[in-house]
Amino acid sequence: MRTLPFTLKLPFGDRPLEWDNYIVRTLSSMQGQYFDQAAYSSLLAADDQLLYEVYEILVPKVEGELLHGVSIVHPGKVGNEYFMTKGHFHDVLETGEVYYCMRGTGMMVMETPEGDSQVLGMSAGEVLYVPPRWAHRSVNTNATEDLVMFFIYPGNAGHNYGTIEQKGFRKLVVEQDGQPTIIDNPRWQNAS
Ligand code: F6R
Ligand code: ZN
């Protein structure tokens, strides 16, 4: 079936007025992802709080179509590590993705299967390009504001979460001396 042209209302700096699919991710969906496991367990015991939301505009998940929507990562930390998305490779590895930061400040943690690694800052008004082969995770480094981003990627990309769930990313973004700081993930090497 062919998609007909359509428009999407994005009130500046916030979620779309209409969407097809709404995803919420709470602390319990991030088992094993945060470095400070003790901090994770005690936060989770207190409250399975909301980490991020995704509003998707669905088009057919086939080559040529472009999936898009808005993600909102809320402010907060687990221990010293900021709230973040699960992160993923695309099933079709040779797939790029564009993010437009509408509100807030954060970092995109990225890496390739070959071991390249990059963490880029993002702030409102900036476009960030994730090239083919790069896994990506959004991190909200702002203490009080949401990180709101519009994203767009090929319809046939699919998502591979398993690799990141097992290995994590090579880099972590943590708060040190009150500043967002990129460090090596000490647990990455232990992964299979
Ligand atoms: C889609 C994409 C974003 C993320 C969203 C949530 O390919 O990269 O829309 O899906 O930021 O992150 P994940 O999917 O890693 O939970
Ligand atoms: Zn993606």
Side-chain angles (χ1 to χ4, degrees):
M1 214 209 331
R2 304 183 98 178
T3 313
L4 293 172
F6 60 89
T7 60
L8 173 68
K9 278 202 176 58
L10 276 185
F12 185 73
D14 215 338
R15 61 208 73 200
L17 292 181
E18 292 172 17
W19 58 87
D20 299 318
N21 194 32
Y22 175 55
I23 299 165
V24 286
R25 295 269 184 248
T26 61
L27 210 48
S28 58
S29 65
M30 297 292 280
Q31 202 76 42
Q33 294 304 300
Y34 281 97
F35 172 66
D36 188 340
Q37 299 278 292
Y40 175 83
S41 300
S42 65
L43 259 191
L44 184 57
D47 181 20
D48 187 12
Q49 59 182 298
L50 180 63
L51 300 186
Y52 62 99
E53 305 164 71
V54 183
Y55 295 82
E56 290 181 322
I57 312 304
L58 293 182
V59 296
K61 295 184 175 176
V62 297
E63 196 172 350
E65 297 277 0
L66 293 170
L67 286 157
H68 54 284
V70 171
S71 64
I72 303 179
V73 186
H74 296 294
K77 282 180 293 178
V78 175
N80 289 332
E81 200 175 353
Y82 299 100
F83 282 4
M84 61 192 185
T85 61
K86 287 164 86 83
H88 55 265
F89 287 94
H90 287 284
D91 277 335
V92 179
L93 200 53
E94 300 300 333
T95 294
E97 182 160 350
V98 169
Y99 281 84
Y100 171 61
C101 183
M102 298 165 65
R103 183 151 59 95
T105 44
M107 289 189 182
M108 189 71 80
V109 178
M110 294 168 281
E111 69 182 47
T112 67
E114 291 74 32
D116 304 300
S117 185
Q118 273 217 37
V119 182
L120 292 183
M122 298 180 288
S123 57
E126 283 182 333
V127 171
L128 183 141
Y129 180 57
V130 180
R133 304 187 75 77
W134 289 77
H136 39 286
R137 159 179 283 166
S138 330
V139 181
N140 184 352
T141 56
N142 193 295
T144 53
E145 259 200 279
D146 286 340
L147 175 66
V148 184
M149 286 185 297
F150 183 77
F151 59 83
I152 179 163
Y153 64 101
N156 63 327
H159 293 88
N160 162 12
Y161 289 100
T163 305
I164 297 299
E165 275 166 5
Q166 285 162 24
K167 294 190 166 191
F169 278 83
R170 288 172 166 82
K171 300 287 179 185
L172 304 179
V173 185
V174 298
E175 188 175 272
Q176 281 181 359
D177 302 323
Q179 293 301 317
T181 307
I182 301 157
I183 61 166
D184 288 333
N185 179 358
R187 291 172 56 222
W188 193 86
Q189 292 297 343
N190 297 330
S192 57

